[in-house]
Amino acid sequence: SESLRQVEVPRWEATEVLVANYKRCGRLRQLFHEKVASTVAEKVFVETRAQLLQSYGGGEWEKTTLIPAGDPLRSLRGHGWPLPRGISIELADKLDYCGHRLVDAIQGRDDREVLILSAGLFLAEMDDRISAAVEGKDPLRLAILSAHDVSIGTCLLAFDLPSHTWPAFASSVHVELLQSKVGSWFVRIAFFDGSPPPSGKPSAERM
């Protein structure tokens, strides 16, 4: 309907910075396809795909990667609902691992060029915001950016924060600009894997 079209968010627009922008960079598109081809050929991917076919059968996910196969399972588990018949916890965990492994690969965990191209636009925007605040050019005290789980994954890689699983529902990355009593500036980065706990202690952080 017309009302739905008005609120639809375009994907991969040239100005998008919260996800790796494949539309904007030909080199990143090339590296993306190379990483996907090499990663899905790994033994764990081949075995997990075969197990999923045997246990549950095919589906739309067969046309792409194991990520779409794991997405609905993550949603079900996040809401505390049972998994579909034929899908064991072990298989769901394997799909989670494969999805996270693939996203890490295409975002540059082991390839600095890929990481720069994936996260560079977002980091440049963050650097501009921080510089403007330090120089007193921007009175903004708080900015909230709503993004994807893969956006959080890119942030964690760029900030060199440990993450070995798919981010849980309601995960967040907090970037704080702090000033000491003597006027020195610091940036604190805190990652919450899921909703922040009552203690306020992050899952990982660095200064």
Side-chain angles (χ1 to χ4, degrees):
S1 69
E2 182 60 31
S3 59
L4 287 178
R5 281 197 292 270
Q6 290 177 359
V7 299
E8 182 180 352
V9 179
R11 298 185 63 188
W12 315 126
E13 289 298 312
T15 56
E16 178 61 76
V17 300
L18 293 179
V19 292
N21 198 319
Y22 303 105
K23 183 174 181 179
R24 179 169 173 158
C25 179
R27 175 60 175 163
L28 183 56
R29 287 196 300 274
Q30 174 192 354
L31 293 169
F32 166 84
H33 290 296
E34 291 177 1
K35 293 295 182 182
V36 170
S38 62
T39 304
V40 300
E42 294 175 1
K43 182 179 180 181
V44 63
F45 282 81
V46 175
E47 292 179 346
T48 302
R49 178 179 286 271
Q51 184 180 351
L52 181 59
L53 279 170
Q54 182 179 14
S55 302
Y56 185 74
E60 286 296 315
W61 63 270
E62 290 181 274
K63 301 175 183 177
T64 54
T65 67
L66 289 176
I67 293 176
D71 280 344
L73 304 182
R74 281 185 286 276
S75 180
L76 290 172
R77 297 172 81 179
H79 288 86
W81 295 344
L83 294 172
R85 182 177 299 176
I87 303 293
S88 64
I89 294 295
E90 177 194 15
L91 179 54
D93 286 344
K94 285 183 178 179
L95 289 167
D96 254 9
Y97 170 82
C98 288
H100 187 260
R101 168 78 183 92
L102 180 57
V103 169
D104 266 2
I106 63 178
Q107 291 180 333
R109 174 177 285 278
D110 302 313
D111 190 317
R112 182 169 176 79
E113 181 184 10
V114 175
L115 180 57
I116 290 172
L117 294 176
S118 296
L121 292 175
F122 172 71
L123 292 181
E125 181 176 289
M126 290 295 297
D127 185 66
D128 288 343
R129 287 176 182 264
I130 291 173
S131 296
V134 168
E135 296 167 7
K137 297 179 180 179
D138 190 347
L140 184 68
R141 301 296 295 262
L142 174 67
I144 300 176
L145 306 177
S146 179
H148 298 274
D149 44 13
V150 293
S151 305
I152 289 180
T154 304
C155 279
L156 296 178
L157 290 177
F159 295 146
D160 196 24
L161 287 171
S163 173
H164 305 293
T165 61
W166 203 282
F169 279 92
S171 291
S172 57
V173 178
H174 300 195
V175 181
E176 299 177 286
L177 178 63
L178 308 173
Q179 188 176 26
S180 70
K181 293 181 179 179
V182 298
S184 299
W185 292 94
F186 303 89
V187 174
R188 175 179 179 262
I189 302 167
F191 166 55
F192 292 90
D193 192 8
S195 300
S199 66
K201 184 178 180 180
S203 307
E205 65 180 319
R206 67 177 306 172
M207 185 75 74

